[in-house]
């Protein structure tokens, strides 16, 4: 009798122990799942917060709008960059010049009508150092045309305060207007060769030599 009671007690003890262990295991598993969820939520929140606070990467260079047919972009070291077309140039005060120069086709003689280059660039307000004597003489202009053709001018070559002749943005040649889609032509009366008569002009860039000269070793 005592043996059976002892066996029954032992069985009850084992059953109680099994239930206790099962309950503890379930609690631990549930806590682990909740912890994983909390961790996932925390990670998601952290990621979202990081994504919200991280600034969008800025491009190294600001995007430049493409030029329209015959449009000329005026930029560089200027306060007011802008673009101009043949139609715009025709509305401005015109100058006329007769030129003679040599080219691959031989000697050329033409009459051009257009706007002085100095007037077009002055509108963009070049940023020359007024603290330096004749600071504008440190300036230059790069003119780019069709096919990536490029020529450079010292500012004194186009400034009427220094130059005897005026470089023109021509709108016509020998009385025939240039096509709007082709753009103006740069005319350089003082040149004996036509290399700087830039056709299909699309960019005028104003710069100063100081950063190059002062940075040279």
């Amino acid at each position: 009798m005592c043996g059976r009671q002892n066996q029954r007690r032992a069985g009850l003890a084992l059953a109680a122990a099994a239930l206790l262990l099962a309950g503890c295991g379930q609690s631990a598993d549930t806590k682990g799942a909740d912890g994983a969820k909390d961790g996932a939520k925390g990670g998601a929140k952290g990621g979202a917060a990081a994504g919200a606070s991280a600034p969008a990467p800025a491009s190294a260079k600001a995007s430049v709008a493409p030029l329209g047919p015959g449009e000329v972009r005026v930029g560089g070291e200027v306060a007011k960059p802008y673009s101009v077309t043949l139609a715009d140039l025709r509305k401005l005060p015109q100058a006329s010049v007769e030129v003679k120069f040599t080219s691959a086709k031989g000697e050329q003689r033409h009459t051009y009508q257009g706007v002085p280059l100095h007037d077009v660039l002055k509108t963009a307000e070049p940023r020359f150092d007024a603290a330096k004597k004749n600071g504008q003489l440190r300036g230059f202009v790069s003119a780019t045309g069709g096919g990536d053709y490029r020529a450079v001018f010292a500012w004194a070559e186009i400034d009427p305060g220094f130059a005897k002749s005026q470089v023109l943005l021509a709108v016509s040649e020998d009385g025939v207007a240039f096509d709007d889609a082709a753009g103006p032509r740069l005319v350089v009366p003082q040149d004996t060769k036509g290399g700087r008569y830039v056709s299909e002009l699309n960019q005028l860039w104003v710069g100063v030599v100081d950063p190059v000269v002062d940075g040279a070793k």
Side-chain angles (χ1 to χ4, degrees):
M1 186 72 176
C2 291
R4 290 180 180 177
Q5 289 179 347
N6 290 336
Q7 289 178 356
R8 184 178 297 173
R9 288 174 183 173
L12 290 173
L14 289 173
L19 289 173
L20 180 61
L21 288 173
C24 290
Q26 184 177 4
S27 175
D29 291 342
T30 304
K31 184 177 181 180
D34 290 342
K37 290 178 182 178
D38 291 342
K41 290 179 181 179
K45 289 180 180 179
S53 61
S59 61
K61 293 184 178 181
S63 59
V64 179
L67 290 171
E71 190 175 10
V72 181
R73 179 177 289 120
V74 183
E77 293 297 323
V78 298
K80 297 179 179 180
Y82 75 108
S83 62
V84 63
T85 65
L86 267 177
D88 298 327
L89 293 173
R90 292 191 186 101
K91 298 174 184 177
L92 300 176
Q94 303 288 300
S96 182
V97 62
E98 294 181 1
V99 300
K100 179 177 71 173
F101 59 91
T102 59
S103 71
K105 298 179 181 179
E107 185 176 275
Q108 303 285 316
R109 291 177 179 268
H110 297 288
T111 299
Y112 289 100
Q113 185 175 13
V115 180
L117 176 59
H118 182 262
D119 291 351
V120 173
L121 296 178
K122 186 173 62 176
T123 300
E125 298 183 9
R127 293 187 295 215
F128 299 133
D129 191 347
K132 299 185 185 299
K133 183 178 180 179
N134 287 329
Q136 71 272 34
L137 297 185
R138 300 165 181 254
F140 65 91
V141 179
S142 171
T144 304
D148 195 34
Y149 190 86
R150 185 166 291 162
V152 176
F153 299 80
W155 185 262
E157 293 182 87
I158 67 171
D159 190 331
F162 295 92
K164 288 184 177 180
S165 58
Q166 292 184 316
V167 179
L168 293 185
L169 285 182
V171 300
S172 68
E173 180 186 73
D174 299 328
V176 180
F178 292 133
D179 185 86
D180 283 351
R185 184 180 190 187
L186 209 60
V187 173
V188 194
Q190 65 266 36
D191 284 6
T192 58
K193 291 187 176 182
R196 295 198 296 179
Y197 280 61
V198 181
S199 300
E200 299 178 3
L201 188 70
N202 55 57
Q203 184 186 60
L204 292 166
W205 193 92
V206 180
V208 291
V209 300
D210 291 13
V212 178
V213 175
D214 295 341
K217 295 183 180 179

